[in-house]
């Protein structure tokens, strides 16, 4: 039934239904819903069937200053429980789509929904999948949605068997083989970044880039033969059958998500934008597959391949480094410290992690912490041990609170100097001097408090951080001159400071 013939309680409900309708129009799901759709005596905003699954959707708008999701949670839980009793052969799932920010959702509601096996989507989450539909197609976008949100993977029960070469490098098994693009796409899953809290490491697919590659593919010329391998990591279930030494047959279950794409998503998915489907059905891609890499290991491979072979966003590189928990790489530790500030919204501006945008740049702030030795490979000034990230965070928070208290007007200023990339880097340089002047033993660093730093910053209170000064700070020599000027003011109260 067309959306225009269905009655809805609100425009938001209609938008959510229209989003799901894109899957239905492509023949991927059977869709039901609207104000007149009832299930076990309860009105359900939308529901769709996929294979043996039925997903129930409830929509929630901001209808009060304090938003509660208990009503839709209890409603869906009740209907799903009744449905399971009446129809035990089908698996019922549920999601609540909210028309407000995630920050406005009460933690206890999230906990309650999780305990009932229900998902909560924001309108932004819906827009993410709408972009995926547009960039790829409804079939691939739906496969991604079902896996991301419900852990549901399409499995034909069939096996794809291909000749392959097996090698072992640094304790990791790798398989190299050829597979038609049309066969690889339904197996491939991309762990895409949507927010800093996730372990994901892949960028959002770029439709324009897909179209450019597809246009070249359509020419069927030698230069679009893709000599570079698609790199994936196999989940459990792939079986290796040796036939002659390191040559054999690789048996791959025909299941969505069996292959996590580490590098090459744009080359792979460009085939879904081709008008000539025969190219995708006959074009064999060269694939190199790891076996059972952890998400952190996948992120490391992705960062290494992309940073060494082609430049990617510097903020994204540092974000990926933050996932490498086991390392004592100072940039990895610095990135986790800065991301922690970002997650708790300490700054008035977002920190750009390479996929979300923001005035403050993760790469710039990480560089400042490392350059000034606050975090270092052999134990920075703020670290008790080489892998210590807790102490740098605690000390830095007390220090930045002191900066905020000392310069409240500039901190809140629209074009703030203090709360900018160059400004924060200058204050990181001052922190290096302050810590050295204090002479605090490493084991007592976490005892430092805001007032300890305010004493050092007090001589700077009357400093005018003008727009001209901000422009001057754009160069390294300019920043050094500003640090020298500010150090001179602190020197008047704390002798020997300027020489540090």
């Amino acid at each position: 039934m067309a959306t225009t013939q269905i009655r809805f309680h609100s425009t938001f409900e209609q938008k959510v239904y229209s989003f799901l309708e894109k899957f239905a129009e492509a023949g991927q799901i059977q869709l039901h819903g609207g104000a007149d759709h009832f299930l076990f005596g309860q009105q359900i905003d939308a529901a769709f069937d996929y294979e043996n699954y039925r997903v129930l959707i409830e929509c929630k708008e901001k209808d009060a200053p304090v938003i509660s999701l208990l009503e839709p949670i209890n409603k869906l839980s009740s209907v799903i429980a009744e449905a399971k009793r009446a129809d035990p052969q089908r698996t019922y799932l549920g999601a609540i789509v909210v028309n407000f920010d995630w920050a406005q959702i009460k933690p206890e509601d999230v906990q309650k929904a999780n305990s009932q096996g229900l998902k909560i989507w924001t309108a932004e989450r819906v827009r993410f999948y709408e972009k995926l539909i547009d960039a790829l197609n409804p079939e691939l976008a739906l496969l991604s949605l079902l896996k991301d949100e419900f852990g549901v993977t399409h499995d034909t029960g069939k096996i794809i068997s291909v000749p392959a070469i097996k090698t072992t490098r640094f304790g990791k098994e790798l398989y190299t083989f050829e597979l038609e693009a049309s066969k690889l796409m339904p197996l491939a899953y991309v762990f895409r970044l949507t927010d800093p809290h996730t372990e994901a490491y892949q960028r959002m697919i770029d439709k324009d880039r897909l179209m450019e590659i597809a246009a070249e593919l359509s020419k069927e010329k030698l230069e679009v033969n893709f000599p570079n391998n698609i790199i994936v990591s196999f989940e459990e279930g792939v079986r290796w059958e040796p036939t002659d030494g390191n040559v054999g047959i690789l048996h791959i279950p025909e299941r969505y998500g069996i292959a996590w794409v580490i590098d090459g998503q744009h080359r792979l998915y460009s085939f879904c934008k081709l008008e000539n489907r025969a190219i995708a059905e006959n074009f064999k891609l060269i694939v190199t597959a790891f076996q059972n890499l952890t998400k952190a290991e996948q992120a490391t491979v992705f960062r290494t391949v992309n940073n060494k072979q082609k430049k990617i966003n510097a903020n994204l590189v540092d974000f990926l480094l933050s996932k490498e928990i086991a390392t004592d790489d100072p940039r990895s530790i610095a990135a986790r410290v800065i991301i922690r500030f970002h997650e708790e919204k300490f700054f008035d501006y977002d920190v750009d992690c390479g996929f979300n945008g923001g005035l403050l740049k993760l790469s710039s702030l990480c560089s400042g912490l490392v350059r000034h030795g606050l975090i270092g490979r052999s134990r920075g000034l703020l670290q008790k041990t080489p892998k210590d990230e807790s102490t740098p965070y605690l000390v830095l928070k007390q220090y930045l609170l002191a900066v905020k208290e000392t310069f409240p007007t500039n901190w809140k200023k629209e074009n703030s100097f203090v709360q900018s990339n160059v400004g924060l880097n200058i204050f990181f340089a001052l922190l290096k001097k302050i810590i050295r002047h204090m002479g605090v033993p490493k084991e007592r660093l976490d005892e430092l408090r805001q007032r300890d730093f305010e004493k050092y910053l007090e001589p700077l209170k009357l400093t005018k951080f003008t727009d001209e000064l901000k422009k001057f700070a754009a160069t390294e020599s300019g920043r050094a001159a500003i640090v020298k000027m500010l150090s001179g003011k602190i020197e008047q109260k704390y002798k020997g400071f300027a020489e540090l």
Side-chain angles (χ1 to χ4, degrees):
M1 186 182 294
T3 306
T4 52
Q5 298 175 309
I6 300 174
R7 190 170 63 88
F8 298 96
H9 290 125
S10 69
T11 302
F12 179 59
E13 285 182 17
Q14 186 172 358
K15 286 181 178 179
V16 173
Y17 187 93
S18 297
F19 155 65
L20 296 171
E21 202 169 30
K22 295 174 183 177
F23 297 123
E25 289 172 348
Q28 298 302 307
I29 62 172
Q30 289 182 309
L31 181 61
H32 324 275
D36 301 312
H37 178 69
F38 284 77
L39 189 62
F40 297 103
Q42 296 267 28
Q43 187 272 326
I44 299 295
D45 294 335
F48 68 85
D49 298 333
Y50 175 81
E51 295 183 346
N52 197 43
Y53 297 92
R54 174 165 290 179
V55 180
L56 310 183
I57 307 287
E58 276 294 289
C59 300
K60 175 69 174 179
E61 298 209 61
K62 185 177 181 180
D63 52 9
V66 179
I67 306 166
S68 173
L69 297 182
L70 285 181
E71 182 182 346
I73 289 172
N74 292 334
K75 179 180 179 180
L76 278 184
S77 299
S78 173
V79 173
I80 289 175
E82 184 66 27
K84 287 179 177 178
R85 287 191 291 269
D87 186 11
Q89 302 305 313
R90 189 191 296 269
T91 300
Y92 284 82
L93 304 166
I96 300 164
V97 186
V98 299
N99 196 20
F100 40 85
D101 294 336
W102 185 266
Q104 296 176 282
I105 302 172
K106 294 192 291 185
E108 54 266 37
D109 286 351
V110 176
Q111 187 176 7
K112 175 75 170 177
N114 289 339
S115 70
Q116 299 297 315
L118 302 175
K119 299 296 179 180
I120 300 175
W121 302 344
T122 62
E124 184 59 36
R125 192 68 174 161
V126 171
R127 284 191 288 272
F128 167 79
Y129 287 114
E130 285 180 323
K131 291 177 183 177
L132 209 55
I133 291 171
D134 184 50
L136 301 176
N137 59 40
E139 177 187 2
L140 293 171
L142 179 64
L143 290 174
S144 181
L145 181 153
L146 291 169
K147 179 173 174 60
D148 283 338
E149 307 300 334
F150 303 107
V152 171
T153 53
H154 175 66
D155 191 337
T156 67
K158 299 177 182 178
I159 299 291
I160 297 174
S161 299
V162 294
I165 297 173
K166 177 182 177 181
T167 56
T168 302
R169 295 177 185 169
F170 308 112
K172 296 292 184 183
E173 294 179 346
L174 291 87
Y175 305 95
T176 302
F177 57 94
E178 290 183 325
L179 190 62
E180 292 87 348
S182 60
K183 292 182 180 178
L184 182 56
M185 282 189 287
L187 308 180
Y189 170 68
V190 180
F191 198 25
R192 294 187 177 90
L193 284 163
T194 54
D195 62 71
H197 303 276
T198 182
E199 295 178 280
Y201 55 88
Q202 289 279 8
R203 294 160 286 183
M204 180 60 184
I205 198 83
D206 185 337
K207 180 185 176 182
D208 290 340
R209 190 172 170 195
L210 293 185
M211 298 302 292
E212 289 173 7
I213 298 173
E216 292 301 313
L217 279 168
S218 297
K219 297 175 184 177
E220 301 185 55
K221 292 184 178 181
L222 177 65
E223 55 266 32
V224 286
N225 261 312
F226 293 157
N228 291 342
N229 296 13
I230 304 293
I231 302 177
V232 305
S233 175
F234 280 139
E235 287 188 335
E236 291 286 350
V238 175
R239 184 171 62 87
W240 166 252
E241 179 188 351
T243 56
D244 184 13
N246 65 338
V247 177
I249 304 297
L250 202 58
H251 302 284
I252 309 167
E254 202 170 69
R255 181 178 79 233
Y256 178 72
I258 189 73
W260 288 49
V261 178
I262 297 175
D263 186 64
Q265 66 162 324
H266 286 93
R267 279 170 281 152
L268 173 61
Y269 291 117
S270 63
F271 287 90
C272 75
K273 310 308 287 186
L274 288 168
E275 292 184 11
N276 183 356
R277 299 301 303 158
I279 297 177
E281 291 166 4
N282 295 300
F283 194 112
K284 289 189 175 182
L285 292 162
I286 303 171
V287 183
T288 292
F290 290 88
Q291 183 73 47
N292 298 326
L293 289 186
T294 65
K295 296 181 183 71
E297 288 172 330
Q298 291 179 38
T300 299
V301 175
F302 172 82
R303 177 181 61 81
T304 302
V305 169
N306 283 275
N307 199 35
K308 300 297 183 185
Q309 296 183 8
K310 58 189 179 197
K311 283 296 179 183
I312 60 174
N313 185 296
N315 300 305
L316 180 59
V317 171
D318 282 321
F319 178 79
L320 296 175
L321 273 171
S322 75
K323 303 297 183 184
E324 299 178 19
I325 305 296
T327 182
D328 59 357
D329 186 311
R331 288 198 77 97
S332 176
I333 296 169
R336 285 196 291 278
V337 170
I338 296 300
I339 287 171
R340 191 168 171 184
F341 280 101
H342 170 66
E343 289 177 346
E344 65 184 38
K345 299 188 182 301
F346 180 89
F347 301 112
D348 293 334
Y349 306 107
D350 283 338
V351 176
D352 185 350
C353 296
F355 59 90
N356 60 317
L359 291 177
L360 297 178
K361 305 301 178 184
L362 179 61
S363 178
S364 174
L365 301 184
C366 288
S367 293
L369 291 176
V370 174
R371 183 189 307 114
H372 298 299
L374 300 173
I375 295 174
R377 189 172 296 279
S378 57
R379 197 170 64 156
L381 284 171
L382 303 185
Q383 293 175 282
K384 295 180 180 180
T385 65
K387 293 185 179 180
D388 182 14
E389 61 187 75
S390 175
T391 309
Y393 166 77
L394 292 172
V395 175
L396 198 57
K397 185 166 187 178
Q398 295 302 313
Y399 176 63
L400 290 176
L401 285 171
V403 173
K404 186 176 181 179
E405 180 66 25
T406 305
F407 311 102
T409 302
N410 193 277
W411 184 276
K412 287 293 183 182
K413 185 180 176 183
E414 184 175 347
N415 190 28
S416 171
F417 175 91
V418 174
Q419 200 178 179
S420 68
N421 294 297
V422 293
L424 288 170
N425 270 280
I426 285 169
F427 278 97
F428 290 164
L430 287 178
L431 177 58
K432 172 184 176 179
K433 288 172 168 280
I434 291 171
I435 292 295
R436 285 180 169 176
H437 193 273
M438 284 179 169
V440 180
K442 293 267 187 183
E443 60 271 15
R444 297 185 60 187
L445 280 170
D446 49 12
E447 296 177 16
L448 292 172
R449 292 294 177 264
Q450 178 179 336
R451 61 181 176 275
D452 298 316
F453 296 112
E454 287 178 357
K455 294 175 183 177
Y456 279 85
L457 297 175
E458 192 274 334
L460 307 180
K461 269 193 171 183
L462 299 179
T463 304
K464 301 294 184 182
F465 293 107
T466 62
D467 292 340
E468 289 71 23
L469 193 67
K470 191 173 183 179
K471 292 177 183 178
F472 183 56
T475 65
E476 188 172 344
S477 59
R479 289 191 293 275
I482 295 172
V483 171
K484 184 176 181 180
M485 178 266 290
L486 296 175
S487 297
K489 292 186 177 184
I490 298 175
E491 168 82 16
Q492 295 174 16
K493 183 175 180 181
Y494 295 97
K495 299 304 179 184
F497 187 89
E499 302 304 318
L500 294 172

